[in-house]
Amino acid sequence: IINYTISVSVQETGESFTYTTSDTTYSFTALKPYRSYDITIAASTSIGTGPFSAVSTVATLEDVPSSAPVGFSASMVTSTSLLLSWDPLAYEDQNGVIIGYVINVTVQETGASFQLESTTTELAVSNLKPYRTYVCVIAAATSVGTGPFSEIYIVKTPEDVPGEPPLNFSVSVTSSSSAYLTWHPPSYEKQNGEIVQYVIRASVLETGENFELTESEQSLELNTLKPYRSYEFSIAAATSVGLGPYSSIVSVETPEDVPCQPPLNLSASDVASKSAVLNWKPPPINCQNGEIILYAINVTVQETGERFQLTSTTTNLKVNGLKPFRTYVCIIAAETSVGRGPFSPTFEVKTLEDIPDEPPVNLTATSITSTSFDLSWDPPPYESQNGEIVLYVINVTVLETGEQLQWNATNTMLEVTGLKPFRTYACRLAASTSVGLGPFGPEVAFQTLEDVPSGSPINVAFVVLSPTDVVLTWDPPNYEEQNGKIVQYIVEVANNQTGETQQFSTPDNSLNIILKPYRTYMLLVAAATGIGLGPFSDPETVVTPEGCPSGSPRNLSAVVLSSTSIDVSWAPPDDENHNGVIIHYTISVTVQETGDSFQHQTDDLKFQLTDLRPYRTHLISVGASTSVCPGPFSSEISAKTLEDVPDAPPTSLEIVPLSPNVIVFTWNPPPYENQNGKIILYNVSVELTGAPDTLMIQLETAGESITFNDLKPYTNHTFSVAAWTSIGIGPFDNITVVTPQSSPSAPPTNLTVNVTSSQSAFIAWDLVPLDQQNGIIVSYTVSLTRSSGSSQLIETTETSLSVASLLPYETYLIGVRAATIAGEGPYTDPVAITTPEDVPEAPQNVIAEDTGSSFRVSWGPPERANGILLNYEVMYSIPNINVVQGGMQYEDVTVVLPAENTSLTADAEPGLTYTISVRCSTKIGYGHSAGVDVFIAYPPGTINIDSPEGIASLTVALIVLVVIVLVSVVLIAFYCVYKKRRSKKYVFNKDSGFISGGEATLTFKNDSFVQSDVEGGLTESTKPIIANEESEM
């Protein structure tokens, strides 16, 4: 027999499976609960398969359902009840007899939960809450237990009317016509849906009026209440289904307010010139809005705009102290304790006439002439007229004569004629109504206008003070001829030689007259009032003596002859300005640029100025003189001498270095007095000195600075500059400087490198060429750059250097540069060297691992190989089993591996620690080693019998094992006998059998086989064979 073929079929579904085994037992797994399995077995040899055994049927036990019910639905009956239904489980998921269903329900809004049970696939549920979301999961149950719960099902009950009114309903009276209502929604459990609005019911107790208001928020401000009223409010909430119950009534009273209408029928009686009686009725009762405690009457005097207020607690009032003939506009309002209501329409009362209390005002005279004027005035102030003015009376007194006059007028102006010139008239004015004449006003004086004097000044005389000064004196005209106030006198002066006439005015009785010398004049004087000039007096003749010329020479001109001389010429003053005989001329000269001045005299009409400075502006004027004194100088003319070459060099020469190669040369112009013209450009030169070849550069510039580029650093330079005018060049001045140091412009020369070992070299070089040093060489920098790109800089003041810190077997690029205090120059072309090989460094990352009966050691290459790696050497010790002198003897093992190998695996003894070292080599030799320790542990379940503890543990284990074997044999024998006697449940033959729902073991004995529960143990001859995890029954 080489194997057995087991055929299994499922009675409920018809499914079948075939399994093959070489043993006489077979364990089935992944069976379905609550199924009947038919099993038959056939044996096979190398020739073929024999017949199958008789079928044995095995039933698996029940289990909990493997899925949840589906098709869950809910039918609403009312807002508090519903009918739930679902589909039964598919047979393959029942796993036994479904004995009931469990529904777990959670109220989403509150988190409350409860459980429902049913033995059928539907369930009527009552006592639910309206408008609640119920989250349901359902599971089926067998006798074994409850299966998995379904996915979540959401059931929501419909809305209903609220079960209670809104909470905390309150009404706060905010004014006599407004109140603020607030409330909270009904408690959540009583809302029974979404509150869509609130209905407020209100009643007015005094009138029986009822009204309703709706609001979607939780507060309401009413602004249409009536003052001084009692209101009752209640409120209910509404869902989309309908209105809930109303709350209890809240009663409030609105406070008093101002009346909403004025008093009625305002009228007047017993009207006199200074008093009247007012009468009225209260406002309508429904607009009083409280108890009327006062009436306020606002009165406006129509004619003046004056206002005042009267009060009364009754419905009439006698008003005294009024003004006669006034229209009083009255309005009246009622007041409660809160305040005043609206005023009534206006009502007018007019008092009777009386005589004026005051005279007319603002008496003035206009259009006044010397014999007439127009009088005008304003009526008495309106408040004092006391009626209509019908007549004005003017009493007049002439102050100069005492004469009395009276004039009457019916309006506020009067034209008066036939008066005397320059007389004062004092007037007093009174007004009259139909009742009588009022008081006269204060006296107001008016004066007739002046006229021109009718006579000339008297006692005219003169005194000659100098050739140009004469004093003329006089007295006023006689008083009767003045005809007004003399405001000025006019003096007329006539020149007999030219016929020219001049007039002068003065308020005084004398005048100092400026005349021309050496002339004959006629003098006359007349008086003037504000109206005009009277007649002139008889003429007085005056002859003036000789004086200074009053005019300057004419036609002054100048001709520039050279840079140092000018010709000047002129004409005499006009004849009328000679004022005598001209005896000589004075020429005045001022140098505009310096302020220097000088004068020359001549009796000729021309003069030559010499010894002048070049390119100077000379301001020239000329004056004439008589024997008495000189006259004024003429207006200045300017004449500029011609240019010349500068007679001094530029000043303030300065050198400003910007860099070793760039300087700025600056200067100031020559002193002004030495420029001798307009500086148009500068001649600049630079001379390089102290060099093998002297260099000379000449430039021209219009500015006062110039920048020189590309100069040679650290070299003497002499800079010179001279100024040019249009005539020519002036003298030079110079300054000598040394340009600053710069970095060398060339590297050192003849760089050589001699490698002296794997880590050292000798480097030498020559100086930078002298003409490219650009200063004093203060140091050298040697650059060592490795093939990796990293570099090392070494500074020295010598021209050679020994380096002892190189790396073996490394390529270096070596360069040298020189430095002055200004900076570093360029590097030499690099010299490449490669240092010789050396022994390598130790390997890196050496790691040893316990791999059971061996160890594995691995490593990485050294950080620096210092050459070409040839091999790795691994050294460790192994124990010798022979015991020598009570200890373990070790043998050293050396393994040499090619450089490509980076690990080694070697046999090892448990319970020992191995010390391992690894090193590598180049052609020079081996380098340093790297070491690691590894402990080889015993395999799991083994004991180290070499130790006393191991021997003791082994002894105890053997004793326990013997006991367990003996007890097991006894129990198995007893169990087998018991089973044979009590039941055939675990013995399988051709007729019957039973197998659990999980895992079973089959034991083959000839034509029958025995099953034992895995948990219950196996018979001696049983060999368990567990079916592959992928197999299913």
Side-chain angles (χ1 to χ4, degrees), residues 415-536:
E415 182 181 5
V416 183
T417 60
L419 303 177
K420 297 291 185 181
F422 204 55
R423 295 292 186 271
T424 303
Y425 294 87
C427 304
R428 300 180 67 210
L429 182 62
S432 176
T433 66
S434 61
V435 177
L437 187 65
F440 279 91
E443 188 175 77
V444 180
F446 302 104
Q447 192 175 52
T448 51
L449 297 180
E450 294 178 291
D451 209 339
V452 297
S454 55
S456 62
I458 59 176
N459 302 325
V460 179
F462 65 86
V463 176
V464 177
L465 300 179
S466 72
T468 58
D469 290 342
V470 175
V471 176
L472 181 67
T473 62
W474 61 87
D475 290 329
N478 295 322
Y479 179 76
E480 61 275 9
E481 294 178 335
Q482 291 181 10
N483 293 337
K485 181 179 180 182
I486 303 300
V487 294
Q488 68 175 354
Y489 296 93
I490 302 299
V491 176
E492 187 174 275
V493 179
N495 187 325
N496 286 356
Q497 284 84 358
T498 64
E500 179 186 2
T501 300
Q502 289 180 293
Q503 286 189 345
F504 304 94
S505 65
T506 179
D508 299 323
N509 290 354
S510 64
L511 179 64
N512 191 343
I513 305 171
I514 304 301
L515 303 177
K516 290 188 175 183
Y518 212 50
R519 302 288 192 279
T520 300
Y521 293 93
M522 300 297 292
L523 305 181
L524 304 91
V525 64
T529 65
I531 301 303
L533 190 65
F536 278 96

Side-chain angles (χ1 to χ4, degrees), residues 515-587:
L515 303 177
K516 290 188 175 183
Y518 212 50
R519 302 288 192 279
T520 300
Y521 293 93
M522 300 297 292
L523 305 181
L524 304 91
V525 64
T529 65
I531 301 303
L533 190 65
F536 278 96
S537 64
D538 295 334
E540 299 288 333
T541 299
V542 177
V543 177
T544 56
E546 193 175 12
C548 303
S550 57
S552 59
R554 298 171 294 118
N555 304 327
L556 177 62
S557 65
V559 177
V560 178
L561 301 178
S562 69
S563 63
T564 59
S565 62
I566 299 173
D567 264 354
V568 183
S569 63
W570 59 90
D574 291 332
D575 289 343
E576 65 272 15
N577 292 327
H578 281 198
N579 297 336
V581 178
I582 301 300
I583 61 172
H584 65 260
Y585 295 94
T586 302
I587 301 98

Side-chain angles (χ1 to χ4, degrees), residues 65-197:
S66 55
S67 69
V70 296
F72 187 83
S73 64
S75 301
M76 301 300 170
V77 179
T78 67
S79 62
T80 59
S81 62
L82 51 83
L83 178 63
L84 302 178
S85 62
W86 53 90
D87 296 334
L89 288 181
Y91 178 78
E92 61 270 15
D93 295 328
Q94 292 181 8
N95 296 340
V97 178
I98 302 301
I99 61 174
Y101 296 92
V102 177
I103 305 167
N104 287 346
V105 183
T106 301
V107 184
Q108 189 177 68
E109 290 81 2
T110 63
S113 61
F114 55 89
Q115 190 176 78
L116 304 172
E117 295 180 354
S118 175
T119 58
T120 66
T121 57
E122 66 176 18
L123 177 65
V125 185
S126 58
N127 296 322
L128 301 177
K129 293 287 187 180
Y131 201 60
R132 293 292 188 274
T133 303
Y134 292 92
V135 181
C136 305
V137 293
I138 185 169
T142 64
S143 60
V144 176
T146 303
F149 279 92
S150 68
E151 62 181 7
I152 291 174
Y153 295 99
I154 303 297
V155 179
K156 190 163 187 174
T157 53
E159 290 186 281
D160 205 343
V161 299
E164 69 179 13
L167 305 176
N168 303 327
F169 180 52
S170 66
V171 182
S172 301
V173 176
T174 56
S175 72
S176 62
S177 61
S178 62
Y180 189 66
L181 287 68
T182 61
W183 58 89
H184 292 155
S187 59
Y188 183 78
E189 59 274 10
K190 296 291 186 179
Q191 289 184 15
N192 296 340
E194 183 179 351
I195 303 299
V196 295
Q197 68 175 7

Side-chain angles (χ1 to χ4, degrees), residues 772-784:
Q772 294 179 305
Q773 291 183 7
N774 298 336
I776 300 172
I777 303 299
V778 295
S779 67
Y780 296 93
T781 300
V782 179
S783 172
L784 307 173

